[in-house]
Amino acid sequence: MTDNTTRLDHVVLWVRDPVAAADFFEKAVGMAPLRVTDFAAGAVSFPSVRLNDESILDLMPLSMAEGMEMVPGAAESAGHPVNHVCLALPGDDFEALRARLEERSVPVSDFSYDSFGARGMARRSFYFRDPDGNVFEARHYD
């Protein structure tokens, strides 16, 4: 990529079982897993899943929280203070995501309408949790 404008690179989620989390995001949410085999073999500290060409979610083992020393208080960040992560999808992908979640008996919220976001007002959105309790919003603008 040669476009170096400011953009979201990654979000780190604390998870109890990174392999199970990667499986959830692959099968229920439709994201491509990254480095899962390397993580399982002990070659890397955490796996990830690809959101799009520019952004990933890192699946950080909760067991690593105590060792977080990059900023004061980092170990206490496990589990908060992020309220939710929002995924914006095309309308068809939005419908497919909701269907996959419902097929897997993942609880989803009712639809919200005309909520404000990075691209203006989204037509519809809903919320769901991953197996570790992280809250996600899915929305579409088209």
Side-chain angles (χ1 to χ4, degrees):
M1 175 188 302
T2 57
D3 178 3
N4 289 320
T5 57
T6 302
R7 58 188 42 142
L8 182 65
D9 185 85
H10 68 276
V11 173
V12 179
L13 300 176
W14 290 114
V15 299
R16 288 181 303 275
D17 181 342
V19 173
D23 186 66
F24 171 82
F25 284 105
E26 177 184 16
K27 294 180 178 147
V29 185
M31 296 179 177
L34 303 170
R35 305 177 349 143
V36 175
T37 303
D38 292 339
F39 171 76
V44 298
S45 301
F46 58 88
S48 304
V49 289
R50 182 158 298 285
L51 174 62
N52 59 36
D53 289 342
E54 300 175 348
S55 303
I56 60 175
L57 300 179
D58 291 335
L59 307 173
M60 185 70 65
L62 189 55
S63 61
M64 292 182 67
E66 288 185 28
M68 301 306 277
E69 298 175 359
M70 73 288 267
V71 295
E76 290 81 36
S77 74
H80 45 98
V82 173
N83 180 275
H84 71 275
V85 175
C86 182
L87 308 174
L89 304 110
D92 291 345
D93 292 346
F94 175 88
E95 295 293 344
L97 169 59
R98 189 169 176 104
R100 283 193 308 273
L101 293 169
E102 289 175 342
E103 285 171 7
R104 289 167 175 75
S105 300
V106 175
V108 296
S109 73
D110 291 335
F111 288 115
S112 296
Y113 299 91
D114 301 319
S115 57
F116 180 76
R119 298 183 208 166
M121 301 303 282
R123 292 183 69 195
R124 290 183 302 164
S125 65
F126 69 88
Y127 294 84
F128 65 95
R129 289 182 184 266
D130 73 5
D132 290 283
N134 295 300
V135 178
F136 286 82
E137 176 185 0
R139 63 173 43 205
H140 73 97
Y141 289 94
D142 58 347

